[in-house]
Each structure stands twice: as C-alpha cells, then as structure tokens.
Amino acid sequence: MKKPTVCLIGKPNVGKSTIFNRLIKEDKSIVLDTPGVTRDRVYGNALYNNKPFLLIDTGGIDIGNNEWNKDILVQAKIAIDEADIIVFVVDGKEEIDANDRKVCEILRKTNKKIIVAVNKIDNEKRIDSIYNFYELGFADVIGISATHNLGITNLLNLITKNFQEITDEEDKRLKFCFIGRPNVGKSSLVNALLNEERVIVSDIAGTTRDSTDTVFNYNGEEYVVIDTAGMRKKGRIYENIEKYSLIRSLKAIDRSDVCCLVINAEEGIIEHDKHILSYAVLAGKGIVIVVNKWDTVKNPDQALKTWKDNLASHFMFAPYAKVVFTSAKTKKRIHTLMPEIINAYNNNQKEIKTSDLNEVITKATLMHQAPSYRGKRLKIFFASQTDNKPPKFTFKVNDKGLIHFSYERYLENQIRENFDLTGTPIILKFKNKAED
C-alpha cells in the first residue's frame, strides 16, 4: 500500500518541529544507533488509527533575501509538490504577517488539501484568535498546542480522514527498489534486468517522475521491482537540489523488502550516496550496493581493489552490504544482481533458533568478557531473537547501563560470524533481567 504524504509548512518559529515530533510518536521505523548513519530528521513515518502516512518537516519560510532563505523556500516548494495534504502551521500568539501571507500565496497555487494548524493555543484566552486565521482563505482551520499535546488528536483525525487503513492482505512477493541520485542509471538497470524496454530511459536527470512497479518472473518466481524517481526537474527550483530526491525514494523504500543503492562509476562515491543509503538502513531493509556504468571504468581489474576500499571506507555503517559491479548498458554481470537481492531478502527475514543463538553468545562471553565499570561487569543471562525484517536480538542482562558500544559491536560481529546475515542490518536490544 502506498502511503500518503503530508508536509508541514510555515514561517520560522511556529512550532513545526514540535508538531512533527508529536505526529511521529507512533513511528514504527527502526532507528539504528550506528556510527555514520545520517539522522537529519526531515521526514518520519506516522501512524494513527492504523492509517500510516509519510510526514515531511520543512524549514521556516522567510521572505528575507539571503541565500539561505531562498534555499529553504526551494526545498519547501519541492515538499509541497510531493505532498497529498499540507499542514500550514501558524503562530496563534501572533497576528498574520508578511511571511504567513507569502506561504498562503504559495499554497493557493496548489490543488492540494490545506489544513491550517493554529499552534500555541494553550489556554482559553487564545481560543478566539483561531478565527483570525480564517482570513487566509482556507476552510480547515484548527487550534492546537503541540507543546501541551492539545488538539493533536483532532488534527490527526482531519489529516487521516480519507486515508486507508492497513489491511491484513499482504503481497508476499519479494519487492525491491533501486534508489540513488538522479541519472545514475536506475531505469536502465530495470530495463537490463527485465531484458526489455519496459521503463522509459533518458540521459536527462529527472525523467522518472514517480516510482514505477513492474512484476516479472525469475527462476519461476514472481518479483516486483520498483524504479524510484531521482528528482524531477521543473524549472530552476529543482536544479542542484538533491536533498528532496529522497522524498520519492522514501516512499519506495518503505514498500520494499530490499533496497539497491545505485552508484555511478563515472562519478564515484559522494556524500549524498551515503545519505540515501542511510534511510534504507534506518528502515531496516535488505541492502545491496550496485556500482553501475562499470563499462566506463578504465582498467577495471586494477580499479576493483580501489573501489572496494573506497566503498568500505564510505559505507562503514553498512559493512554487511554486498556490492555488485555491473553495466546496465552492456548487461555485463547483470546476472549477479538477483541472487544478491534474494539473499539479502532471505537474511532480512531470517529466524535463528534460541538454543543456537545462546550457544554463540555463551562462547563469545567466555572468549571476551565485557569490561568492568566501577567494580561491576555486564552479565548476559539469556538471548533470543524477538523480531525480523530486520532480525532483532534481545539480551537479558544484569544492568543494561553497563553496555559499551564496543562490546555491543563485538556481540554483533560474533552473531554475524556464526550466522549468515549478509545484506541486512540487525538490531541488538538489552533489557534488565527484571524487565518484562
């Protein structure tokens, strides 16, 4: 099921971030405490009354002339373009000003549903100020206080009124997507994989507007490949803005079991590649890295070691990801892609026997005890797998406050050395023995 997208728009200091944090409090996406994973929280997964949606937070729109304000306005316009519903946040303690009117002017040009959220209505004296904001010309005006959690339920009811609930009907087919910067060859890879021109391909960045699902057969099984958009180029406002290329990718990531990060071998690895992959890691998806356009690399045999070293250095937060070097243009090594996708999927949903897990953990603690802290030492009484997609392991311990990140990393490495979990993140959670 495709999630609707909701974005928060408004001038600075109206409380958008506080509202954002309130609305994603039921966020079911997985957060990994892993060094190197980017956490610029411009988006989040929200769930209300069993109705999920993607929430986008934006910077405050200011009519000032500095370049920073212009960039924020550009990003906000892209978020507006992607949204199904827009929450226009205003400050209930202030009068309507030029910045509010600027936002209003932008929103009037859209055909989107607009909800005006009058924030900071935290006492009865301010309730009457809500009516001032009907002057903006939008029918849905609601008073809230994000700080005091007042009116948030009413806001969520209004946002999700026409959203679909999650159903028990689940598509069991493996779904995977290609994510990456514009013009790295995502659509070409889909075509090469399908061995037909099923998806439009162009050298112009931003040709793909929305994600496209295609069903195909491989070794007698049905699979779904999702070709995600890079970034639509619509006039100057989209030029050189890659941050919001993530918005479209996020929707595909959420619906996928495995995410394939596509890197352009002509350009090499850049910081934005790491950002994009981090979202898939945070979502707990199976991971495959695809270095495309390998046919453009001179002396590929010599370049291979350098590339592997660079990948290991840049993607230290996902050392478990398998890398495929291929060319969509020549289809060289394209046959190596599906086996890695399937392997990442299988490992992402793998279940490990409790007895086997505890045997590994017992041996690991005997080989290398946890360091002592103020005369106390961590003791692990029991370990079990408590979830999958991705695998989650819960440890019962004497004091979870004694966990050091280095020892947690050691335990993860021991688990990975004994069980094939290639291509998937894993989560380690520690609970005191007395906890439920």
Side-chain angles (χ1 to χ4, degrees):
M1 182 179 72
K2 294 183 179 180
K3 287 184 182 179
T5 300
V6 178
C7 76
L8 304 174
I9 299 291
K11 66 185 180 185
N13 301 318
V14 292
K16 293 187 299 299
S17 295
T18 307
I19 295 171
F20 177 83
N21 291 334
R22 283 286 183 192
L23 298 189
I24 66 167
K25 66 178 181 178
E26 294 295 332
D27 188 4
K28 302 300 181 184
S29 64
I30 294 143
V31 177
L32 303 182
D33 187 15
T34 307
V37 176
T38 303
R39 286 180 176 79
D40 52 336
R41 298 303 298 270
V42 298
Y43 82 100
N45 290 308
L47 181 69
Y48 178 70
N49 281 347
N50 212 31
K51 297 177 179 180
F53 60 93
L54 180 70
L55 184 66
I56 304 171
D57 191 13
T58 63
I61 296 176
D62 193 322
I63 58 175
N65 291 320
N66 65 59
E67 290 299 317
W68 177 251
N69 289 333
K70 290 180 181 178
D71 184 59
I72 289 174
L73 180 59
V74 168
Q75 294 176 6
K77 285 183 176 179
I78 296 172
I80 289 168
D81 186 56
E82 292 300 320
D84 300 294
I85 291 181
I86 298 162
V87 179
F88 179 10
V89 184
V90 293
D91 190 336
K93 296 167 65 175
E94 299 180 358
E95 298 294 324
I96 297 171
D97 63 14
N99 282 327
D100 291 319
R101 296 189 190 282
K102 175 63 176 178
V103 177
C104 183
E105 178 188 336
I106 294 169
L107 298 184
R108 283 184 184 279
K109 296 176 183 178
T110 73
N111 292 317
K112 309 291 177 70
K113 178 178 175 61
I114 311 295
I115 299 170
V116 179
V118 185
N119 194 25
K120 305 180 185 179
I121 305 297
D122 48 17
N123 61 59
E124 291 184 2
K125 294 180 180 179
R126 292 182 182 152
I127 292 176
D128 289 342
S129 65
I130 296 171
Y131 301 103
N132 298 333
F133 292 93
Y134 279 99
E135 180 187 333
L136 296 170
F138 301 108
D140 294 310
V141 180
I142 185 170
I144 65 168
S145 172
T147 300
H148 296 90
N149 200 25
L150 301 174
I152 297 298
T153 298
N154 293 335
L155 176 61
L156 282 165
N157 281 326
L158 197 54
I159 289 172
T160 62
K161 182 179 179 181
N162 297 314
F163 290 177
Q164 293 182 344
E165 292 187 26
I166 299 172
T167 63
D168 293 331
E169 296 179 9
E170 184 180 353
D171 188 350
K172 300 296 183 181
R173 295 174 298 191
L174 190 166
K175 295 177 288 296
F176 64 96
C177 67
F178 291 105
I179 55 176
R181 295 181 288 113
N183 208 30
V184 293
K186 297 186 297 293
S187 295
S188 297
L189 277 168
V190 173
N191 287 338
L193 199 61
L194 300 174
N195 202 29
E196 58 180 298
E197 296 299 318
R198 185 75 64 86
V199 180
I200 297 171
V201 180
S202 170
D203 290 333
I204 302 173
T207 299
T208 306
R209 172 60 180 87
D210 294 305
S211 60
T212 305
D213 294 13
T214 304
V215 179
F216 70 102
N217 277 277
Y218 174 79
N219 286 348
E221 297 286 339
E222 276 195 350
Y223 297 87
V224 180
V225 56
I226 304 169
D227 175 33
T228 64
M231 174 179 63
R232 184 171 65 161
K233 191 172 182 179
K234 181 183 178 183
R236 291 186 178 181
I237 72 164
Y238 289 94
E239 293 177 5
N240 301 319
I241 300 294
E242 289 189 321
K243 186 174 183 180
Y244 274 88
S245 67
L246 287 167
I247 297 172
R248 298 184 185 101
S249 294
L250 289 172
K251 298 176 184 179
I253 287 170
D254 188 69
R255 294 191 295 118
S256 298
D257 301 300
V258 178
C259 300
C260 303
L261 174 71
V262 184
I263 298 172
N264 187 340
E266 289 182 293
E267 300 175 353
I269 305 164
I270 69 168
E271 195 70 17
H272 195 56
D273 294 321
K274 295 163 65 175
H275 293 167
I276 293 172
L277 185 64
S278 73
Y279 287 95
V281 171
L282 289 170
K285 306 297 181 177
I287 304 292
V288 177
I289 297 175
V290 183
V291 181
N292 190 33
K293 305 186 181 181
W294 193 244
D295 58 292
T296 65
V297 175
K298 295 180 180 179
N299 301 318
D301 292 337
Q302 296 179 17
L304 192 62
K305 184 182 185 304
T306 302
W307 262 93
K308 287 182 176 180
D309 290 343
N310 287 338
L311 287 163
S313 175
H314 282 85
F315 298 106
M316 292 177 64
F317 60 91
Y320 49 80
K322 276 295 189 75
V323 183
V324 174
F325 297 87
T326 189
S327 167
K329 183 178 180 180
T330 65
K331 297 185 180 178
K332 186 176 181 180
R333 293 182 57 80
I334 199 73
H335 66 279
T336 63
L337 186 53
M338 280 305 298
E340 295 300 347
I341 291 171
I342 294 169
N343 187 58
Y345 170 75
N346 290 335
N347 289 339
N348 187 252
Q349 60 177 4
K350 179 173 285 187
E351 296 183 1
I352 296 171
K353 288 183 179 180
T354 302
S355 58
D356 293 341
L357 177 64
N358 278 278
E359 183 180 348
V360 168
I361 298 303
T362 299
K363 289 181 179 178
T365 54
L366 288 173
M367 287 191 298
H368 178 41
Q369 283 189 329
S372 61
Y373 178 71
R374 294 183 177 178
K376 295 182 68 177
R377 190 184 302 275
L378 176 75
K379 292 182 180 179
I380 299 174
F381 301 111
F382 184 75
S384 62
Q385 184 176 350
T386 51
D387 206 352
N388 60 5
K389 297 183 182 180
K392 177 180 176 182
F393 303 98
T394 300
F395 295 78
K396 289 287 187 177
V397 298
N398 59 331
D399 184 355
K400 62 185 179 183
L402 296 172
I403 297 295
H404 190 272
F405 76 89
S406 62
Y407 198 71
E408 182 176 350
R409 183 62 55 85
Y410 166 72
L411 293 174
E412 177 178 341
N413 290 338
Q414 289 298 306
I415 291 172
R416 289 189 179 278
E417 285 178 13
N418 286 273
F419 307 104
D420 183 11
L421 293 165
T422 307
T424 181
I426 65 173
I427 297 172
L428 272 58
K429 186 173 183 180
F430 297 87
K431 286 186 175 183
N432 291 337
K433 192 175 182 180
E435 291 183 45
D436 292 335

